[in-house]
C-alpha cells in the first residue's frame, strides 16, 4: 500500500452507511514495470557440460570413507583419487589424458598404514603430491612421468609430528616448499620441505579444524573449527588477528575471496538450513550478509574463481552445482543458475586454470566422484561465445606454476603475490623446476632383478602362480646357500682352532 497525503489524492467520495460513514479514497498508483531487471554480467549464461563417455573415468574403487573431504585432486598432468584398500590407505594416480575404464590391477600409492583422508597436488611441481592419513603421518610422493608402473610404497618424505590422525593439508600459494597440516590433536603444523621438519606449530584451536584457506599472497590463514569459531591467523607467528563466534551461523568451510578482502563461509543456520555468509576479513564481529540456500543436510563445498569472481556451491550427496557472481556492493551474491545431474557427488576435484580449454571458453572444470557407479565425470563450465578468437575479458592474467618465494624466504617474513601468466598462446612453462627433498636412504630388496618391497602386482591367476613358484624356488636356493655358508663357517672355525693348538716350534 502507498501512504499519501490528502493533497495527493485525486478523488474524494463520501459513502453514507446505516451506522457509520466510510471514507473511500481513490489514489492514482504510480506506473510500475513488471519486466524483471537483470544485472549486466558476461557470466549470466554460463552452463555446465558433462564430458562424453569416452572422456570419463570408469571402474574406480572410490573410497567409502565418510570423512568430509573431496578425496580427489587434479592438475594438468594427473588425476588422483582415494580408493578402497585393505591393510592401509591407498590412492590411485592416473594421467588425466588416460580416460576410459581402469584396469582392476592398476598400481596404487599405498604406503600409509591407515585410511587416506586428504590429498593435494603441489601447485608448482606437478609430479609432487602430498597425502595425510589416520596413521598420523603426512607423506610427500613423487609420481614418475607417464604415471605409475608399479605400486609405490616409498615416499619422498615421511613427516611425523601429529599425535592423532591428520585430516586436512594445504600447500602455500606462493612458496614452493611450505606445507600446512591440521590434525585431530587441534594443532596446525607448518612443514619446511627443504629440511623435512616442522618449523612452526599453531596451537590456538580448542577442537577439530575443519578447513583452511590462504589469501592471495599467503600472508594470512583463515580456519573454521568445530568449536564454532572462525579465525584469521598470521601463520608465521601463530597470532590470531580476528576471531568470530558463529552461534547463529555454524561454519563448516571457509574461503578467502582473492583480493576482495572478504571471507566466504558455508554452514548451517539455527534453523538447520544450509547457508552462506560473507565477512570482512578485518572485522569478524558480524557477517556482512547471510543467505539461505536450502534445507538439505549435506555439507556445502564452496569453490571460488578469483579471475571471474564466480562462486560455485556443491553439496555432498547432491547432484547439482549452483553458481553465483560475487560483487563488492549490494546484493553481494548475484545468483546465475545451476548445473543439475541425477547422480549424487561424493567429492569434486578442480582443474587449475592453465589446464583448461581456452578455445572452448572453459572457465572452470570439475571432476565429480560418483561412488555408486565407480565413475569420475569431468564437468566443464563454459561461457557461450560465437567468436572463435581468444576471449581476453574472461581470461585475465592468472597464477601460474612458478613459485614467487622459496621456503626460507617466506619463513624470513617476505610476502609476494603469485607469478602471473597469460593463457592466450597456450600455457608454456618458462623453466623446468626440480623438487629437491632431503636426502635419505631408500630401502630395497632386489632378488634376481625383482624388488620384493615394490613389486608389480600380478594381473592374472597364471602370473600369480608363476610368481609363487618363482618365490618358492628363490627360498629353496637361499636355504641351500645359507646351509653351505654354515658348513664353510664351521670349517673355518676348526681350522682356526687347529692353528691355535699348534705349538710355535712346529709352525
Amino acid at each position: 500500500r502507498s501512504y499519501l497525503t490528502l493533497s495527493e489524492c485525486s478523488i474524494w467520495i463520501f459513502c453514507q452507511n446505516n451506522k457509520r460513514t466510510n471514507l473511500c479514497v481513490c489514489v492514482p498508483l504510480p506506473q510500475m514495470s513488471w519486466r524483471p531487471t537483470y544485472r549486466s554480467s558476461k557470466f549470466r549464461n554460463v552452463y555446465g557440460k558433462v564430458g562424453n563417455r569416452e572422456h570419463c573415468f570408469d571402474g574406480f574403487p572410490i573410497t567409502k570413507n565418510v570423512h568430509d573431504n573431496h578425496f580427489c585432486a587434479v592438475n594438468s598432468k594427473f588425476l588422483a583419487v582415494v580408493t578402497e584398500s585393505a591393510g592401509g590407505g591407498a590412492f590411485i594416480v592416473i594421467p588425466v589424458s588416460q580416460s576410459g575404464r581402469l584396469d582392476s590391477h592398476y598400481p596404487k600409492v599405498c604406503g600409509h598404514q591407515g585410511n587416506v583422508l586428504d590429498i593435494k597436488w603441489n601447485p608448482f611441481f606437478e609430479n609432487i603430491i602430498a597425502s595425510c592419513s589416520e596413521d598420523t603421518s603426512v607423506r610427500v610422493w613423487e609420481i614418475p612421468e607417464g604415471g605409475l608402473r608399479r605400486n609405490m610404497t616409498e615416499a619422498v618424505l615421511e613427516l611425523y609430528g601429529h599425535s592423532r590422525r591428520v585430516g586436512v593439508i594445504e600447500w602455500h600459494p606462493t612458496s614452493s616448499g611450505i606445507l600446512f597440516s591440521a590434525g585431530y590433536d587441534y594443532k596446525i603444523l607448518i612443514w619446511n620441505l627443504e629440511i623435512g621438519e616442522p618449523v612452526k606449530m599453531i596451537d590456538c584451536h580448542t577442537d577439530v579444524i575443519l578447513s583452511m584457506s590462504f589469501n592471495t599472497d599467503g600472508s594470512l590463514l583463515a580456519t573454521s573449527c568445530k568449536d564454532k569459531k572462525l579465525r584469521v591467523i598470521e601463520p608465521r607467528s601463530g597470532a590470531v588477528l580476528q576471531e568470530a563466534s558463529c552461534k547463529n551461523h555454524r561454519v563448516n568451510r571457509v574461503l578467502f575471496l582473492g583480493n576482495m578482502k572478504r571471507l566466504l563461509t558455508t554452514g548451517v543456520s539455527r534453523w538447520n538450513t544450509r547457508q552462506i555468509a560473507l565477512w570482512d576479513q578485518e572485522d569478524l564481529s558480524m557477517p556482512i550478509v547471510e543467505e539461505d540456500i536450502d534445507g538439505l543436510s549435506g555439507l556445502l563445498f564452496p569453490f571460488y574463481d578469483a579471475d571471474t569472481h564466480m562462486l560455485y556451491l556443491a553439496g555432498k550427496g547432491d547432484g547439482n552445482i549452483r553458481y553465483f557472481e560475487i560483487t563488492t556492493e549490494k546484493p553481494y551474491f548475484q545468483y546465475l543458475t545451476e548445473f543439475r545431474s541425477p547422480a549424487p557427488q561424493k567429492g569434486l576435484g578442480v582443474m587449475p586454470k592453465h589446464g583448461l580449454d581456452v578455445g572452448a571458453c572453459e572457465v572452470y572444470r570439475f571432476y565429480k566422484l560418483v561412488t555408486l557407479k565407480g565413475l569420475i565425470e569431468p564437468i566443464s563450465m563454459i561461457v557461450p561465445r560465437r567468436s572463435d578468437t581468444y576471449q581476453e575479458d574472461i581470461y585475465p592474467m592468472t597464477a601460474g606454476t612458478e613459485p614467487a618465494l622459496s621456503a626460507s624466504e617466506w619463513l624470513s617474513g617476505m610476502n609476494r603475490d603469485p607469478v602471473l601468466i597469460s593463457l592466450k598462446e597456450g600455457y608454456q612453462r618458462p623453466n623446468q623446476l626440480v623438487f629437491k627433498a632431503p636426502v635419505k636412504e631408500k630401502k630395497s630388496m632386489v632378488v634376481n632383478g625383482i624388488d620384493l618391497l615394490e613389486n608389480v602386482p600380478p594381473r592374472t591367476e597364471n602370473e600369480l602362480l608363476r610368481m609363487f613358484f618363482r618365490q618358492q624356488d628363490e627360498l629353496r636356493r637361499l636355504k641351500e646357500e645359507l646351509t653351505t655358508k654354515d658348513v664353510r663357517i664351521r670349517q673355518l672355525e676348526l681350522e682356526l682352532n687347529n692353528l691355535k693348538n699348534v705349538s710355535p716350534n712346529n709352525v
Side-chain angles (χ1 to χ4, degrees), residues 21-317:
T21 301
N22 294 334
L23 179 63
C24 302
V25 182
C26 297
V27 181
L29 296 175
Q31 292 185 355
M32 299 181 66
S33 173
W34 295 101
R35 193 178 77 180
T37 58
Y38 291 102
R39 178 180 173 273
S40 176
S41 172
K42 53 195 167 192
F43 304 109
R44 193 178 65 204
N45 297 315
V46 170
Y47 66 95
K49 180 181 178 182
V50 181
N52 298 329
R53 189 69 181 180
E54 58 267 19
H55 295 132
C56 295
F57 301 83
D58 197 6
F60 273 75
I62 301 171
T63 180
K64 296 181 175 61
N65 196 312
V66 296
H67 185 71
D68 287 330
N69 247 328
H70 296 295
F71 301 111
C72 179
V74 192
N75 64 16
S76 61
K77 286 186 177 181
F78 299 106
L79 167 68
V81 179
V82 180
T83 63
E84 283 290 299
S85 178
F91 59 95
I92 287 177
V93 177
I94 187 170
V96 76
S97 59
Q98 190 177 325
S99 56
R101 187 161 188 84
L102 182 74
D103 188 347
S104 59
H105 298 287
Y106 194 86
K108 298 179 181 180
V109 181
C110 50
H112 283 286
Q113 278 75 49
N115 291 328
V116 176
L117 300 181
D118 197 10
I119 50 176
K120 294 282 171 61
W121 288 105
N122 189 314
F124 310 111
F125 304 96
E126 295 194 314
N127 291 60
I128 301 297
I129 187 170
S131 62
C132 62
S133 168
E134 292 181 349
D135 62 7
T136 74
S137 73
V138 177
R139 304 192 184 202
V140 179
W141 313 83
E142 184 172 7
I143 307 300
E145 289 291 337
L148 298 175
R149 294 175 179 82
R150 59 184 64 186
N151 282 352
M152 180 175 285
T153 57
E154 288 293 326
V156 175
L157 285 174
E158 296 182 10
L159 309 174
Y160 292 93
H162 290 280
S163 59
R164 298 181 65 186
R165 60 180 174 171
V166 187
V168 183
I169 52 176
E170 287 290 343
W171 292 95
H172 193 272
T174 61
S175 178
S176 57
I178 297 294
L179 179 66
F180 284 63
S181 63
Y184 277 61
D185 52 4
Y186 313 156
K187 295 177 177 60
I188 297 176
L189 293 183
I190 305 176
W191 301 90
N192 181 358
L193 302 187
E194 293 178 357
I195 61 175
E197 297 291 338
V199 293
K200 178 68 181 176
M201 181 178 69
I202 301 175
D203 190 11
C204 60
H205 299 85
T206 60
D207 211 324
V208 176
I209 298 145
L210 301 176
S211 67
M212 298 186 289
S213 177
F214 289 98
N215 64 343
T216 304
D217 62 1
S219 60
L220 296 176
L221 174 70
T223 63
S224 60
C225 184
K226 212 169 181 179
D227 61 7
K228 300 180 183 179
K229 289 186 178 180
L230 175 65
R231 296 175 176 88
V232 176
I233 302 169
E234 203 291 314
R236 281 171 291 227
S237 65
V240 179
L241 305 180
Q242 292 287 330
E243 184 176 281
S245 294
C246 308
K247 296 181 180 178
N248 297 331
H249 171 75
R250 298 197 300 273
V251 176
N252 287 325
R253 291 292 182 270
V254 60
L255 277 181
F256 268 102
L257 299 182
N259 291 319
M260 297 176 67
K261 293 189 176 181
R262 296 283 190 270
L263 290 172
L264 179 119
T265 58
T266 64
V268 181
S269 70
R270 64 168 63 186
W271 312 111
N272 286 329
T273 59
R274 297 194 295 191
Q275 66 177 191
I276 56 178
L278 190 67
W279 306 75
D280 183 350
Q281 73 179 39
E282 298 176 353
D283 182 13
L284 299 183
S285 57
M286 63 180 299
I288 298 173
V289 63
E290 295 178 346
E291 184 168 328
D292 291 339
I293 302 299
D294 55 34
L296 300 180
S297 59
L299 178 66
L300 208 56
F301 291 116
F303 302 89
Y304 180 67
D305 183 2
D307 296 338
T308 60
H309 304 294
M310 287 182 63
L311 171 70
Y312 301 87
L313 296 179
K316 186 176 181 180

Side-chain angles (χ1 to χ4, degrees), residues 409-425:
E409 288 174 336
W410 182 80
L411 291 171
S412 66
M414 294 179 63
N415 292 320
R416 198 173 292 164
D417 287 334
V419 179
L420 302 181
I421 61 169
S422 173
L423 303 178
K424 185 172 183 178
E425 301 299 332

Side-chain angles (χ1 to χ4, degrees), residues 255-466:
L255 277 181
F256 268 102
L257 299 182
N259 291 319
M260 297 176 67
K261 293 189 176 181
R262 296 283 190 270
L263 290 172
L264 179 119
T265 58
T266 64
V268 181
S269 70
R270 64 168 63 186
W271 312 111
N272 286 329
T273 59
R274 297 194 295 191
Q275 66 177 191
I276 56 178
L278 190 67
W279 306 75
D280 183 350
Q281 73 179 39
E282 298 176 353
D283 182 13
L284 299 183
S285 57
M286 63 180 299
I288 298 173
V289 63
E290 295 178 346
E291 184 168 328
D292 291 339
I293 302 299
D294 55 34
L296 300 180
S297 59
L299 178 66
L300 208 56
F301 291 116
F303 302 89
Y304 180 67
D305 183 2
D307 296 338
T308 60
H309 304 294
M310 287 182 63
L311 171 70
Y312 301 87
L313 296 179
K316 186 176 181 180
D318 297 355
N320 60 338
I321 300 174
R322 299 178 178 89
Y323 26 107
F324 302 76
E325 190 172 5
I326 296 184
T327 60
T328 55
E329 300 175 351
K330 291 183 179 180
Y332 302 111
F333 299 118
Q334 180 68 34
Y335 176 74
L336 298 174
T337 183
E338 68 177 320
F339 165 80
R340 296 191 177 189
S341 169
Q345 58 222 5
K346 183 177 182 65
L348 293 165
V350 176
M351 173 66 74
K353 271 301 178 82
H354 60 268
L356 299 179
D357 184 3
V358 296
C361 296
E362 184 183 32
V363 293
Y364 219 70
R365 188 192 303 166
F366 293 101
Y367 285 81
K368 174 180 173 180
L369 304 187
V370 184
T371 309
L372 298 177
K373 299 180 181 179
L375 184 68
I376 301 172
E377 291 180 335
I379 303 173
S380 298
M381 298 298 170
I382 296 175
V383 180
R385 295 287 173 92
R386 293 183 179 179
S387 175
D388 294 333
T389 60
Y390 179 74
Q391 307 294 318
E392 293 187 6
D393 59 328
I394 62 175
Y395 293 114
M397 298 286 285
T398 188
T401 59
E402 183 179 351
L405 295 169
S406 66
S408 56
E409 288 174 336
W410 182 80
L411 291 171
S412 66
M414 294 179 63
N415 292 320
R416 198 173 292 164
D417 287 334
V419 179
L420 302 181
I421 61 169
S422 173
L423 303 178
K424 185 172 183 178
E425 301 299 332
Y427 175 67
Q428 296 293 332
R429 191 168 180 171
N431 53 2
Q432 293 293 330
L433 301 176
V434 178
F435 180 79
K436 295 181 180 179
V439 179
K440 67 172 186 176
E441 295 182 359
K442 288 190 175 182
K443 300 178 182 178
S444 63
M445 186 181 296
V446 180
V447 178
N448 288 349
I450 301 172
D451 192 342
L452 300 180
L453 297 181
E454 189 178 2
N455 194 19
V456 180
R459 296 177 180 271
T460 63
E461 185 177 352
N462 290 334
E463 288 184 9
L464 179 63
L465 290 174
R466 283 198 298 270

